[in-house]
Amino acid sequence: MYRSHTCGDLRVAHNNQEVILSGWVQGIRDKGFMIYVDLRDRYGITQLYFDEESTPKDIITKAQKLGREFVVQVKGKVVERASKNPNIPTGDIEVLVTELTVLNNAQVPPFTIEDKTDGGEDIRMKYRYLDIRRNPVKNNLIFRHKVAMEVRKFLSDGGFIEVETPYLIKSTPEGARDFVVPSRMNEGQFYALPQSPQTFKQLLMVGGMDKYFQIVKCFRDEDLRADRQPEFTQIDCEMAFVEQEDILNVFENLTKHLLKEINGVEIENFPRMTYDDAMRKYGNDKPDIRFGMEFGELNEVAQHKEFGVFNDAELVVGIAVPGAASYTRKELDALVNWVKRPQVGAKGMVYAKCNEDGSFKSTVDKFYDQDDIANWAKITGSKPGDLICVLSGDANKTRAQLSALRMELAERLNLRNPKEFAPLWVIDFPLLELDEETGHYHAMHHPFTSPKPGQLELLDTDPGAVKANAYDLVLNGNEIGGGSIRIHDKEMQATMFKHLGFTPEEAKAQFGFLMDAFQYGAPPHGGLAFGLDRLVSILGGQETIRDFIAFPKNNSGRDVMIDAPAFIDDDQLKELSLKLNIQE
Amino acid sequence: MYRSHTCGDLRVAHNNQEVILSGWVQGIRDKGFMIYVDLRDRYGITQLYFDEESTPKDIITKAQKLGREFVVQVKGKVVERASKNPNIPTGDIEVLVTELTVLNNAQVPPFTIEDKTDGGEDIRMKYRYLDIRRNPVKNNLIFRHKVAMEVRKFLSDGGFIEVETPYLIKSTPEGARDFVVPSRMNEGQFYALPQSPQTFKQLLMVGGMDKYFQIVKCFRDEDLRADRQPEFTQIDCEMAFVEQEDILNVFENLTKHLLKEINGVEIENFPRMTYDDAMRKYGNDKPDIRFGMEFGELNEVAQHKEFGVFNDAELVVGIAVPGAASYTRKELDALVNWVKRPQVGAKGMVYAKCNEDGSFKSTVDKFYDQDDIANWAKITGSKPGDLICVLSGDANKTRAQLSALRMELAERLNLRNPKEFAPLWVIDFPLLELDEETGHYHAMHHPFTSPKPGQLELLDTDPGAVKANAYDLVLNGNEIGGGSIRIHDKEMQATMFKHLGFTPEEAKAQFGFLMDAFQYGAPPHGGLAFGLDRLVSILGGQETIRDFIAFPKNNSGRDVMIDAPAFIDDDQLKELSLKLNIQE
């Protein structure tokens, strides 16, 4: 037996008990006549001590040779401390060691195993197993487990069945790029790793499973943006015989349950906003509504004056930045430069200070008088002390730019309180999205999403105007889930593929099995998928998903700890009927 | 709202209530003046009726056009039945339909959606979504969900943390063949799909996670034997600061919990048997101990007579087949032919009938008298009415042959009762296994398994004799789990790799990260993994894992429903820096 208790167990009630503990040496203080060792395991830290008077000499000698992160087992007696440490749960006691066994030595770790470590990101990823010993990472992984357990409990109690769908499936050119897996037994052929179990969960609905869920890994071979992982985890759900309202209710309740059980936060009802409103008010389909700074459209009051920039713009739109009237000229110049960065892409920014005395001072005082700016203030909701920031140009682009500015300023002004939770349903998404490069429409959600009733005809005349039975759940400015009511009719699915540019042959080759299935009695159905990595990180009050993944990959898709991917043997390639085709 | 109740909900207590139901048409009986429709969903079947007198004509007409598996929604009134059907929970009521909406038509399904279907395996796999509508398949999937939930609950309550390990890892030549995944972003390099999360769970132990589990998909590119799947699910577990005894206790308790919660069976303590004993008594490292038929070794009593076959044999071994003395000559000849099939490979079989009068009649009466055979009967435990079957030859091969015969006869004699559960720990497995083809030893469990204390020296002199801290959990003749205490010392791990034929460079290239990790304070640790597919099927009283997998692959690794694997575009290959290399 390696231990009678963990390093987090012992209290004054254990006083005088003989105990056995095992763990890692967190730190050693050698006072000459006394040696103190902090022994750590997953559950806590217990102070051990070795006393020149009562501890045998050979044990003292052994203790003096201990180093950080050595793995040891000790026997000893629990002793109530004279000077207690209120900062740790075991702080009322310590253990007087009578036996000491070194279970494993340790080299000096490449960074300190402390909450605030001296190790940079790269070195911590290479030695992720050491990083996991640190409380922040360890606690994130335990937190993730708790969230996943609560999700499963809630859904299972609600009659959902977790069904495992296959990982070795078929590649489809639709959507993002697939990871593929060569099949040795089927020469020249490949499986694909699923980007989501979408078609399988729909087939489970056709199969009468009624309520399905799965916490499941998904894969996308995308060029990695910051905080994207090639493999990620979804809470994937689907229900039959439901309308949008049924689905919103179930998953609103799930999210409420999590907020309550995990964060102790109770939220009545989640507000809902159409996609169009979200774009108009926040320039973003996943607005953070924890703070105001709603967009004020200024075309009516700012155009038809002598300021050409605004007159030529499709949209003139501004926000009130609370308390920012006090920004210095230097700070304001920096802000203008910030929106002009290529990542944001604005050509410039007009701003107006709302002075405490009710007057205004703008960068366009030449064209607009005090009454004009007062109108801007009214429309953007600016109060004395605020700064009005105004962008203009093409409507879509300008909204995106102002949204970026709004989020940046909210960060700077600490308006994004991670302990506050503001969920929001965004509904009525467009069915299709125009790819500006190719001029083709593609499915905004995915090709299985149903258009709103009665809008099918619009597909021929104004495809961009068709709205879908599609919805996103947004939490604190992040999309944590999204879904739709699906098409369950073979003809409508064929029509949809046609509008997405599939020939009937292509549609049949790729999704024939699904359309075939629809012929044998498909029920109305719909669903939703949460991104677990994102959900967990936001519930955990953070936004970096990598911190909630045990063994994440870096931005080149590499696992720097195990050094993968890697080259494989020629024999292995040959067995798979493959050759490398590397461009010199 | 598609339904107020499910098709399994309604009882007499709902009499006279207006309800809405949705589901599939299971069957229609048109009696002219009355039409009965059985409406089915996941939860049950409810009888609907349409009555010429009270149902509007147009609804009757619509009802007459319904076909099997149509998806319909009905409104109606619950009516207590005059003649009740005690076979279904809703059999006390029926619903008089007042509104009928056809939600989707259905073509006639390619096989009947009944518990006993007319569809063969192939067609049911192609239309697996229809097969899932059938109770036996549907219930198996729900059963699997229940087992997985109980496993998670038990382990989570016991302090285990479910940690998701990566699916895109590194290929290692050790063990079975990996599925690999070409990396587009790292030209010419490949990820591998995990055969198990073995090294990651060990790193989690190095990382102080203490108790880890994961229900996780694993992948092996093996030539598929019957009932093997290229992707399968493991309950993967690991614990730190444990000895073998700790692990056996935890997972014995888990298995007891499942047997109790899922099957209502309580089992005291699981028996334990060494690998050597299992081989000696049952010729098998996963003996089914629900029935006797233990091996009796007959060398002492059967050799040194005049029967050359036995005299030349390394081992003469027999079993008692209960009640089989009554077999006809034809049956006995068939049995002899059965053991001579190439799959079994015996050269022949000697048998002796134990007559009811206490006399014996054997195929070798020329060489053995009644007293001789009486000795065989005593050693094999044969009683009057039994048949003694005796095989001889090379010890290992003969044991395997007799084990096959024992299992075959148990099947024929219905001794393998699926409602009876006989768990067994098999312990003290050999560390290494001789590959007879290559003459090399390889790890019987895996290269991370620790030898029994004090046996390390034997590795140089008699590698095959070294026993490991390795154990299997056997249930009803199937290995449902296996594990070991791991090596946690860098030097011992290096020694082990050396004995497995790795050069130090190979060991470093493939498992350097693990051996590096061991230098930074690895705790003693060990674990176990259950095969979930197998576990679920046995708890479910069946032995075919495919029946408990939603979308299984066939013996060529194909998903015949979606038709995967498949060829991919040249562009896709090019992006991956690959070319096909197909041998003409």
Side-chain angles (χ1 to χ4, degrees), chain B residues 319-330:
Chain B
I319 51 171
V321 186
S326 59
Y327 276 18
T328 63
R329 179 61 194 260
K330 203 175 148 192

Side-chain angles (χ1 to χ4, degrees), chain B residues 65-252:
Chain B
K65 289 185 189 149
L66 292 176
R68 279 201 289 136
E69 303 304 317
F70 273 44
V71 186
V72 301
Q73 182 190 42
V74 295
K75 278 193 193 172
K77 202 175 70 174
V78 181
V79 178
E80 185 169 357
R81 285 204 217 179
S83 73
K84 300 190 165 56
N85 177 354
N87 299 322
I88 56 172
T90 63
D92 289 354
I93 57 90
E94 55 196 347
V95 172
L96 176 61
V97 176
T98 54
E99 285 182 38
L100 169 65
T101 310
V102 175
L103 299 172
N104 218 338
N105 295 323
Q107 292 192 5
V108 177
F111 50 86
T112 55
I113 311 296
E114 306 276 356
D115 291 4
K116 298 266 179 210
T117 179
D118 58 358
E121 171 97 3
D122 289 351
I123 190 105
R124 289 192 292 111
M125 285 300 158
K126 182 164 163 57
Y127 298 91
R128 184 64 161 177
Y129 46 86
L130 297 180
D131 205 21
I132 290 172
R133 287 189 194 159
R134 297 172 52 241
N135 283 321
V137 182
K138 179 192 77 182
N139 291 339
N140 282 355
L141 296 180
I142 295 175
F143 184 82
R144 183 184 180 110
H145 166 66
K146 277 192 195 152
V147 173
M149 282 297 291
E150 281 301 331
V151 168
R152 285 198 162 91
K153 187 172 174 309
F154 180 90
L155 291 174
S156 188
D157 288 351
F160 284 80
I161 304 296
E162 185 162 21
V163 180
E164 294 177 56
T165 52
Y167 277 82
L168 296 173
I169 66 165
K170 190 156 101 170
S171 188
T172 54
E174 173 67 20
R177 210 183 276 106
D178 287 321
F179 281 105
V180 296
V181 182
S183 164
R184 183 180 52 87
M185 294 211 286
N186 300 272
E187 206 177 26
Q189 299 184 43
F190 292 75
Y191 302 98
L193 298 178
Q195 297 184 28
S196 92
Q198 183 62 34
T199 48
F200 289 95
K201 68 176 176 175
Q202 292 193 241
L203 291 174
L204 286 171
M205 295 305 102
V206 176
M209 200 43 73
D210 207 79
K211 291 178 180 178
Y212 145 91
F213 83 103
Q214 190 182 189
I215 300 187
V216 62
K217 274 281 176 79
C218 302
F219 304 85
R220 265 179 222 171
D221 184 12
E222 289 176 296
D223 295 320
L224 298 175
R225 282 182 272 160
D227 221 28
R228 280 269 183 116
Q229 290 283 320
E231 50 177 304
F232 54 96
T233 307
Q234 257 180 219
I235 308 167
D236 193 49
C237 307
E238 196 79 4
M239 304 170 76
F241 301 114
V242 287
E243 292 159 342
Q244 174 168 309
E245 195 60 30
D246 300 306
I247 294 186
L248 299 194
N249 281 335
V250 168
F251 296 101
E252 181 162 322

Side-chain angles (χ1 to χ4, degrees), chain A residues 163-181:
Chain A
V163 179
E164 295 176 55
T165 53
Y167 277 83
L168 297 173
I169 66 165
K170 191 156 100 171
S171 188
T172 56
E174 173 67 20
R177 208 183 278 106
D178 287 322
F179 280 106
V180 296
V181 182

Side-chain angles (χ1 to χ4, degrees), chain B residues 27 39 41 102 126 376 385 468 474 477 486 508 534 555 566 569 578:
Chain B
L39 192 68
D41 66 10
V102 175
K126 182 164 163 57
W376 299 10
V474 173
R486 325 300 184 187
K508 187 173 162 50
R534 178 72 57 204
N555 281 350
D569 289 352
L578 289 177

